[in-house]
């Protein structure tokens, strides 16, 4: 019989639980910002060891249906897979295949282990979980496009971070960039929100869980290329995506928000690498 788990509306903050989860999430900046693999692995091991202590302190999982060790190990498995390859954006066939296999595995492995080994539904992908979108949701989609159009060109061009992405000066490369940017954007929500955030919420309050998933989210984006003062943009974005998911319960909506944002990112990258091509579209 498959067990299901409903996250309570409120959850108390246990310092030991928070410490274990924080250590696991801090492995992300070690892997993706500092790029010190052994440090990331050490932080993962320390977080999981502390989780074992927590679960042994209360064999019933501290009023949880599942233990902290189990859920943090699912996050750790995804992080280890992603850390196994460099994340610099490349558009050749081999790099695209590698990205697809590794990032796909980082989502698939925690899901499969949770669903078929642990036999629960810790990792879910609620495509239309929140019902129909209201005026606020549609208004935010418009706001994302406007804010992206105002902010992203200035960030990418003035800081020079567009150079962290390969030159796209042919139709084939532009098409590959379009697909790649969109695919990674979808993956972000599958892993950071539906996996990391969802697993953390089983043990921590929503605010703490959101802050921790943002650490992982922003660290990944840093290695992907959002550097310089990029975290000024990516930290609020990661936190907002978590809050939006809590409100809408809809993977479809957070993916739509992300894809609209990434559509502007794609256009700005093309603009940056091809002066004169899209000058009339942006202010910078």
């Amino acid at each position: 019989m498959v067990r299901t788990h409903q996250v309570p509306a409120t959850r108390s903050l246990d310092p030991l639980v928070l410490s274990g989860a924080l250590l696991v999430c801090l492995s992300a900046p070690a892997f993706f910002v500092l790029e010190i693999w052994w440090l990331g692995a050490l932080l993962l091991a320390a977080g999981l060891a502390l989780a074992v202590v927590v679960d042994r302190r209360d064999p019933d999982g501290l009023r949880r249906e599942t233990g902290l060790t189990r859920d943090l190990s699912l996050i750790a498995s995804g992080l280890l897979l992603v850390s196994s390859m460099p994340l610099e954006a490349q558009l050749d066939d081999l790099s695209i295949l590698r990205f697809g296999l590794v990032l796909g595995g980082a989502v698939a492995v925690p899901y499969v282990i949770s669903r078929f080994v642990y036999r629960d539904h810790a990792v879910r992908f609620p495509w239309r979980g929140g019902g129909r979108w209201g005026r606020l949701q549609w208004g935010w989609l418009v706001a994302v496009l406007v804010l992206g159009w105002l902010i992203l060109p200035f960030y990418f061009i003035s800081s020079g971070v567009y150079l962290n992405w390969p030159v796209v000066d042919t139709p084939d490369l532009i098409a590959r960039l379009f697909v790649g940017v969109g695919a990674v954007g979808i993956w972000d929500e599958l892993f950071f929100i539906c996996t990391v955030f969802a697993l953390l919420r089983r043990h921590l309050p929503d605010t703490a869980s959101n802050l921790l998933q943002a650490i992982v989210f922003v660290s990944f984006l840093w290695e992907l290329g959002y550097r310089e003062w990029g975290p000024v943009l990516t930290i609020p974005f990661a936190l907002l995506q978590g809050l939006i998911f809590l409100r809408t319960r809809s993977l479809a909506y957070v993916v739509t928000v992300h894809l609209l944002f990434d559509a502007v990112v794609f256009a700005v990258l093309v603009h940056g690498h091809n002066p004169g091509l899209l000058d009339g579209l942006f202010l910078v």
Side-chain angles (χ1 to χ4, degrees), residues 1 11 19 33 52 71 91 93 167 179 190 193 200 220-221 233 240 262-263 265:
M1 182 176 180
R11 184 180 293 286
S19 298
V33 179
V52 170
D71 287 345
L91 298 175
D93 291 341
V167 174
V179 173
L190 295 177
I193 299 300
L200 292 172
F220 172 83
L221 291 179
L233 301 177
L240 279 171
D262 281 351
V265 170

Side-chain angles (χ1 to χ4, degrees), residues 224-243:
L224 194 63
Y226 293 83
R227 302 188 179 186
E228 303 299 332
W229 50 275
V232 174
L233 301 177
T234 56
I235 290 173
F237 181 77
L239 292 172
L240 279 171
Q241 287 296 87
L243 291 173

Side-chain angles (χ1 to χ4, degrees), residues 35-247:
E35 298 185 28
I36 304 175
W37 195 91
W38 66 264
L39 178 59
L42 184 62
L43 288 167
L44 281 181
L48 292 175
L50 186 54
V52 170
V53 172
V54 170
D55 288 339
R56 285 184 175 178
R57 180 191 63 183
D58 183 348
D60 293 328
L62 196 61
R63 298 184 302 278
R64 294 183 297 273
E65 288 190 18
T66 58
L68 181 64
T69 309
R70 175 182 293 187
D71 287 345
L72 291 187
S73 70
L74 294 176
I75 296 174
S77 68
L79 289 174
L80 285 172
L81 278 169
V82 178
S83 71
S84 68
M85 70 171 187
L87 296 176
E88 292 85 359
Q90 299 293 332
L91 298 175
D92 59 278
D93 291 341
L94 183 59
S95 295
I96 291 173
L97 177 62
R98 184 180 69 241
F99 256 74
L101 290 175
V102 173
L103 296 187
V107 170
V109 168
Y111 174 80
V112 169
I113 293 175
S114 172
R115 178 68 175 82
F116 297 105
V117 178
Y118 298 153
R119 301 191 64 79
D120 64 16
H121 288 279
V123 180
R124 297 169 176 266
F125 307 105
W127 189 248
R128 293 294 300 272
R132 299 181 63 179
W133 303 346
R135 291 183 179 179
L136 180 63
Q137 284 75 40
W138 286 105
W140 178 240
L141 296 182
V142 175
V144 167
L145 282 174
V146 174
L147 290 170
W149 175 75
L150 288 172
I151 298 171
L152 290 176
F154 177 74
Y155 163 60
F156 276 92
I157 304 302
S158 67
S159 68
V161 296
Y162 73 93
L163 297 172
N164 293 334
W165 280 261
V167 174
V168 285
D169 54 3
T170 67
D172 175 64
L173 290 174
I174 291 174
R176 286 169 178 257
L177 178 67
F178 178 79
V179 173
V181 168
V184 172
I186 294 171
W187 178 86
D188 288 343
E189 304 307 327
L190 295 177
F191 184 66
F192 300 120
I193 299 300
C194 292
T195 303
V196 176
F197 187 37
L199 289 168
L200 292 172
R201 289 187 64 231
R202 288 157 66 94
H203 307 278
L204 292 166
D206 290 341
T207 298
S209 300
N210 201 21
L211 289 169
L212 291 183
Q213 71 83 18
I215 293 174
V216 185
F217 202 149
V218 172
S219 299
F220 172 83
L221 291 179
W222 176 271
E223 187 175 353
L224 194 63
Y226 293 83
R227 302 188 179 186
E228 303 299 332
W229 50 275
V232 174
L233 301 177
T234 56
I235 290 173
F237 181 77
L239 292 172
L240 279 171
Q241 287 296 87
L243 291 173
I244 289 169
F245 184 73
L246 286 176
R247 181 179 179 86

Side-chain angles (χ1 to χ4, degrees), residues 157 162-163 267-275:
I157 304 302
Y162 73 93
L163 297 172
V268 173
L269 291 174
V270 173
H271 169 58
H273 286 295
N274 300 272

